Amino acid sequence: MNPSATLGAAELGHLAASEAQLGLWRGVITPKEQTLAAAERTARAARRAGSLPIEILDVSAGPLALAQKMMEHPPAALFLVGFEKFSVEDWGHLDSLRSNLERDQPVILFLTEGSAEHLSRLAPNLANWVGGSYARWDGSAEILSPEEKAARLDVLRGQFGKTDEEVIQAALEHRLEREPQMSEWLVLLGRGDLLEYG
Amino acid sequence: MDSRKAPGHTRVVTTRRERFREYMARLRPAENPARAIAEGLYVRRESGSAGDEIISRLELEPSSTHLVVGGIGSGKTTQLLVTEAALNQVEDTRAIYIDVSEIHDISKMKPGVLVVVAGVVLARSLAAEEEDFNDARYKARVAIQRFAHGHVKWVRVPDDMDAFGSEDDYYPDDGEYVQDEQPAFLAPPRREELLPEVEEASGLLRAVWEPLKTDKPNLVLLFDSLDRLTDMDAFGKAVEQDVQALRKLGIGVVLAGPLRMMYGAHRIIVTERFEENFYPQMAVDVTRDEQGRRFLIDVLHKRVPPAVLPEEACLRLLEYSGGVLRDLISLTRAAVDGTFRAGSQRVEVSHVEAAARAFGERFLFGLRKHEIDTLLRLQKTGIFTGSSDDDLALLTTQRILAYAAEGGSWRYVVHPTLLPLIRQLQEAS
């Protein structure tokens, strides 16, 4: 099964940063053996895009350990990896623990295709939190074609009512808004070096 | 750069962004319903709800037992919370909502768990009142907590005990005899008496409840999360033992139970134990229930104003949600998100369509050929028997939705976001 949306590290990172207090759950489907790499790249992008702490949690110790970690964890966006080690029983157990997984910050599940199927079939209560917020991991998403780059820049200009020059100037003068889209804008303009100015 | 222009732009943009963030914050599928109620987002259904019925029955009969069953995200927890709040307004009644899974790992369900969980919660009430100076209260509280969580007991070892033997190995040599318990010869068809450990827990619960009776003699406990149980036998035993124990104590009980209870052999538990006090909390039948549609539109407009979420988009969202409350919230969140990203001011039908497609795709994960056949057959004939585990899995994962129909029967449909996708699959094959 293919979710029609594909997202790369930059956009996922921006989403995690911009949805800091919304407690939204997302599922990202990656090829086998790439869940951790995808989570790490997304975490780097999210840290660049905002100030919310990002933590990658390995869930392979089992559902109960995960629930305990999540209950005790200070506010942070949590990126969960390692579901491919879950047994059928683990998925059912995780589903029964759902009340203990509630958080105010974003949670992203990095799943293989098989794990996504198990989530859907064996943990319907948790899957219900994710709803339709699934995307397929696109490891090459940062490499946009010139047309895609131009189209995205047009959307940003329209959305914020600013020119590229205004955004660069604001970054240079340390008064650029701390918004994920502003970081994305600078990166698209090839001025990622200005991110630290923001 | 035009420095006079930028701040004005920033202010307008920020206002739009802040507004959309506010809408998104009110559209959280994973939000605890208690918070939604506290934030004033609860909408009462004019045509009545399961909660309304339970409240009126418990007001008259405070120790009665009730079962609410429904699909995921259909609003069962909200109904329990609203019931709790309403019952606490009754002068002589104390109602307590309990999320069992927050206190006990429900994958390890066994007889007595609900009684002990109830005791632990009441013990917390006693502790909160800071009345530990009262010895009886303190003892009752500690006893139930020890029973629930275990404790270390110091045992004096008799002098004549074998130094290498355990306490169990000790056998008195002074002429005493250990009683040899004979098992019952006849096995009653249904066990009515309580198991010894449930009986013991029940006594501890009584002790911890006693001091709380002075201001409010009636107690109603609302147990949530049991709808997530997949082991129907465990649920059956909890009903047989715990609910019976609570009933004997005169405590009213409201349970959120698994949807599977409505089907197959487990249905007998519903019939025998709950009789009239069984409330299916089903999806709102948006294609046939005009009042239900108005209710769901009110739910949405509490979160997003009509200027941003116009009627046309609302109705399309209702249709795709199949009347499942949390699905409606999820779909609306995705549509509002799409609206913001597109730079639009209000949700258009195209945003709803995109959200619905993404929502439906998740139902395709792991869907097998014979399940697709079942879904297509249901769509064509309207027939769904729910007779196999695979059938029930389609229902519990909400690929199939159930609605209450006339004459106490059920009407089944394929989830409206999944239907177009399986049709496409069928055409492609």
Side-chain angles (χ1 to χ4, degrees), chain B residues 26 93 128 214 227 332 349 364 375:
Chain B
R26 293 183 202 147
T93 302
T214 44
D227 51 322
T332 309
V349 169
L364 290 179
L375 295 172

Side-chain angles (χ1 to χ4, degrees), chain B residues 16-85:
Chain B
R16 176 178 179 271
R17 189 169 55 243
E18 280 175 356
R19 272 194 294 119
F20 272 79
R21 275 192 179 164
E22 209 176 297
Y23 308 146
M24 296 289 278
R26 293 183 202 147
L27 295 166
R28 292 174 48 178
E31 180 164 68
N32 185 333
R35 194 192 295 191
I37 293 171
E39 288 171 359
L41 298 176
Y42 173 69
V43 177
R44 193 178 168 279
R45 202 170 163 178
E46 288 300 320
S47 56
S49 63
D52 291 337
E53 278 190 63
I54 296 171
I55 291 161
S56 57
R57 290 193 188 180
L58 277 165
E59 276 187 290
L60 295 174
E61 214 184 326
S63 61
S64 53
T65 302
H66 305 258
L67 176 67
V68 183
V69 166
I72 297 165
S74 59
K76 295 184 295 297
T77 298
T78 302
Q79 289 303 310
L80 295 192
L81 289 165
V82 169
T83 304
E84 180 202 28

Side-chain angles (χ1 to χ4, degrees), chain A residues 4 15 22 24 29 93 95-96 99-100 102 104 120-121 125 128 131 133 160 175 177 179, chain B residues 1 17 21 28 32 35 72 99 101 105 107 228 326-327 333 341 361-362 365-366 368 371 399:
Chain A
S4 44
L15 284 172
L22 296 180
L24 296 177
I29 299 164
H93 193 180
D95 203 43
S96 73
S99 304
N100 302 288
E102 192 191 332
D104 282 339
S120 173
R121 295 189 75 85
N125 289 281
N128 192 257
S133 299
F160 289 89
R175 54 179 178 77
E177 296 153 75
E179 286 296 331
Chain B
M1 179 191 147
R17 189 169 55 243
R21 275 192 179 164
R28 292 174 48 178
N32 185 333
R35 194 192 295 191
I72 297 165
D99 186 334
S101 72
D105 181 351
S107 70
R228 281 181 234 145
R326 195 182 293 131
D327 290 2
R333 190 196 70 76
R341 285 174 197 287
E361 283 171 345
R362 71 160 174 130
F365 285 128
R368 296 163 192 159
E371 292 172 322
R399 289 167 169 98

Side-chain angles (χ1 to χ4, degrees), chain B residues 126-286:
Chain B
L126 281 184
E129 290 181 5
E130 292 180 3
E131 289 176 310
D132 284 354
F133 61 89
N134 182 320
D135 200 41
R137 287 180 174 219
Y138 177 77
K139 281 181 180 168
R141 187 162 69 79
V142 170
I144 190 75
Q145 283 168 338
R146 282 182 168 183
F147 190 87
H149 307 302
H151 70 290
V152 178
K153 193 163 88 176
W154 294 95
V155 179
R156 192 175 69 82
V157 180
D159 290 340
D160 57 348
M161 187 176 160
D162 181 346
F164 297 101
S166 69
E167 198 177 0
D168 291 338
D169 294 331
Y170 172 67
Y171 192 83
D173 58 1
D174 58 357
E176 280 183 50
Y177 291 93
V178 174
Q179 192 179 352
D180 182 18
E181 192 180 333
Q182 292 290 325
F185 185 77
L186 293 176
R190 206 181 67 211
R191 194 183 181 100
E192 283 294 350
E193 73 272 29
L194 296 179
L195 293 168
E197 62 270 29
V198 179
E199 193 80 68
E200 186 183 354
S202 183
L204 295 171
L205 174 62
R206 184 190 289 111
V208 84
W209 178 31
E210 207 57 46
L212 291 165
K213 274 183 176 174
T214 44
D215 58 335
K216 294 203 166 194
N218 297 321
L219 177 63
V220 175
L221 300 172
L222 305 103
F223 294 101
D224 200 3
S225 291
L226 302 177
D227 51 322
R228 281 181 234 145
L229 281 175
T230 49
D231 181 352
M232 292 302 98
D233 289 337
F235 182 79
K237 281 176 187 159
V239 168
E240 185 183 284
Q241 286 286 316
D242 294 47
V243 172
Q244 195 190 156
L246 294 166
R247 188 185 284 163
K248 276 185 175 178
L249 289 174
I251 295 173
V253 176
V254 184
L255 289 177
L259 191 62
R260 282 173 185 260
M261 294 305 297
M262 284 166 38
Y263 298 88
H266 305 293
R267 172 84 201 182
I268 197 162
I269 295 174
V270 175
T271 319
E272 285 191 357
R273 300 289 176 184
F274 296 95
E275 297 162 355
E276 298 297 305
N277 297 340
F278 166 64
Y279 311 87
Q281 173 76 13
M282 310 314 286
V284 176
D285 196 343
V286 285

Side-chain angles (χ1 to χ4, degrees), chain A residues 39-84:
Chain A
E40 285 173 343
R41 282 177 61 185
T42 306
R44 282 197 292 276
R47 288 184 190 115
R48 280 199 301 271
S51 56
L52 181 70
I54 311 289
E55 289 288 337
I56 297 173
L57 294 186
D58 185 348
V59 307
S60 52
L64 205 55
L66 171 62
Q68 279 165 357
K69 269 188 203 170
M70 288 183 72
M71 278 189 286
E72 290 161 8
H73 209 288
L78 298 182
F79 295 178
L80 310 184
V81 298
F83 286 106
E84 48 285 13

